Amino acid sequence: MLEDVLERAKELTKYQGEFRVKVRPLKTSIARVSFRHGTITVDPSVLNLSEEEILYILVHELAHLKAGTVYHSSLFWEVVSQVFPKEIAVEMEDRIILKLRKKLV
Ligand SMILES: [Zn+2]
């Protein structure tokens, strides 16, 4: 299922670069991105979320890769809002953080 959602996220953000997704326990965050290794790591708890929530997390991380920054820059938001309008994105983040009790970075 993660693979399917990932394909959708790549299409929606028009992400062309090379990267891998790993599922591995993360201490404090839900997901994180490594520019050096070209990887997105997601915490296993993410797999319990709804498909739309997982899609949001992957779009969020792909937006970091596309914008080339770990910050939530204007370019980052530009990529996210191609898929999720900012209001919806913010709402979704709050819901995910509340459910998993970890932060989304
Ligand atoms: Zn972020």
PDB file of all heavy atoms in Angstrom, residues 60 64 72 76 105, ligand 1:
ATOM      1  N   HIS A  60       4.520  15.857   1.843  1.00  0.00           N
ATOM      2  CA  HIS A  60       5.264  16.772   2.713  1.00  0.00           C
ATOM      3  C   HIS A  60       6.776  16.520   2.579  1.00  0.00           C
ATOM      4  O   HIS A  60       7.553  17.447   2.368  1.00  0.00           O
ATOM      5  CB  HIS A  60       4.789  16.555   4.156  1.00  0.00           C
ATOM      6  CG  HIS A  60       5.420  17.464   5.162  1.00  0.00           C
ATOM      7  ND1 HIS A  60       4.710  18.439   5.821  1.00  0.00           N
ATOM      8  CD2 HIS A  60       6.692  17.549   5.621  1.00  0.00           C
ATOM      9  CE1 HIS A  60       5.539  19.081   6.637  1.00  0.00           C
ATOM     10  NE2 HIS A  60       6.739  18.564   6.542  1.00  0.00           N
ATOM     11  N   HIS A  64       9.978  18.686   0.715  1.00  0.00           N
ATOM     12  CA  HIS A  64      11.287  19.039   1.276  1.00  0.00           C
ATOM     13  C   HIS A  64      12.384  18.696   0.274  1.00  0.00           C
ATOM     14  O   HIS A  64      13.285  19.494   0.040  1.00  0.00           O
ATOM     15  CB  HIS A  64      11.547  18.259   2.578  1.00  0.00           C
ATOM     16  CG  HIS A  64      10.909  18.868   3.785  1.00  0.00           C
ATOM     17  ND1 HIS A  64      11.156  20.157   4.189  1.00  0.00           N
ATOM     18  CD2 HIS A  64      10.029  18.371   4.681  1.00  0.00           C
ATOM     19  CE1 HIS A  64      10.464  20.408   5.285  1.00  0.00           C
ATOM     20  NE2 HIS A  64       9.752  19.347   5.600  1.00  0.00           N
ATOM     21  N   HIS A  72      10.310  24.895   6.202  1.00  0.00           N
ATOM     22  CA  HIS A  72       9.038  25.052   5.521  1.00  0.00           C
ATOM     23  C   HIS A  72       9.037  26.394   4.802  1.00  0.00           C
ATOM     24  O   HIS A  72       8.355  27.334   5.192  1.00  0.00           O
ATOM     25  CB  HIS A  72       7.877  24.883   6.514  1.00  0.00           C
ATOM     26  CG  HIS A  72       7.868  23.518   7.127  1.00  0.00           C
ATOM     27  ND1 HIS A  72       7.476  23.255   8.411  1.00  0.00           N
ATOM     28  CD2 HIS A  72       8.233  22.314   6.609  1.00  0.00           C
ATOM     29  CE1 HIS A  72       7.596  21.943   8.651  1.00  0.00           C
ATOM     30  NE2 HIS A  72       8.056  21.363   7.582  1.00  0.00           N
ATOM     31  N   PHE A  76       8.786  25.265  -0.454  1.00  0.00           N
ATOM     32  CA  PHE A  76       8.232  24.044   0.123  1.00  0.00           C
ATOM     33  C   PHE A  76       6.708  24.083   0.061  1.00  0.00           C
ATOM     34  O   PHE A  76       6.053  23.142  -0.409  1.00  0.00           O
ATOM     35  CB  PHE A  76       8.710  23.881   1.581  1.00  0.00           C
ATOM     36  CG  PHE A  76       7.913  22.884   2.376  1.00  0.00           C
ATOM     37  CD1 PHE A  76       8.237  21.541   2.374  1.00  0.00           C
ATOM     38  CD2 PHE A  76       6.807  23.302   3.126  1.00  0.00           C
ATOM     39  CE1 PHE A  76       7.480  20.620   3.096  1.00  0.00           C
ATOM     40  CE2 PHE A  76       6.048  22.389   3.848  1.00  0.00           C
ATOM     41  CZ  PHE A  76       6.385  21.052   3.829  1.00  0.00           C
ATOM     42  N   VAL A 105       8.406  16.602  10.791  1.00  0.00           N
ATOM     43  CA  VAL A 105       9.455  17.580  10.502  1.00  0.00           C
ATOM     44  C   VAL A 105       9.702  17.716   9.021  1.00  0.00           C
ATOM     45  O   VAL A 105       9.161  16.950   8.237  1.00  0.00           O
ATOM     46  CB  VAL A 105      10.774  17.238  11.231  1.00  0.00           C
ATOM     47  CG1 VAL A 105      10.612  17.462  12.703  1.00  0.00           C
ATOM     48  CG2 VAL A 105      11.232  15.831  10.946  1.00  0.00           C
TER      49      VAL A 105
HETATM   50 ZN    ZN B   1       8.418  19.335   7.173  1.00  0.00          ZN
END
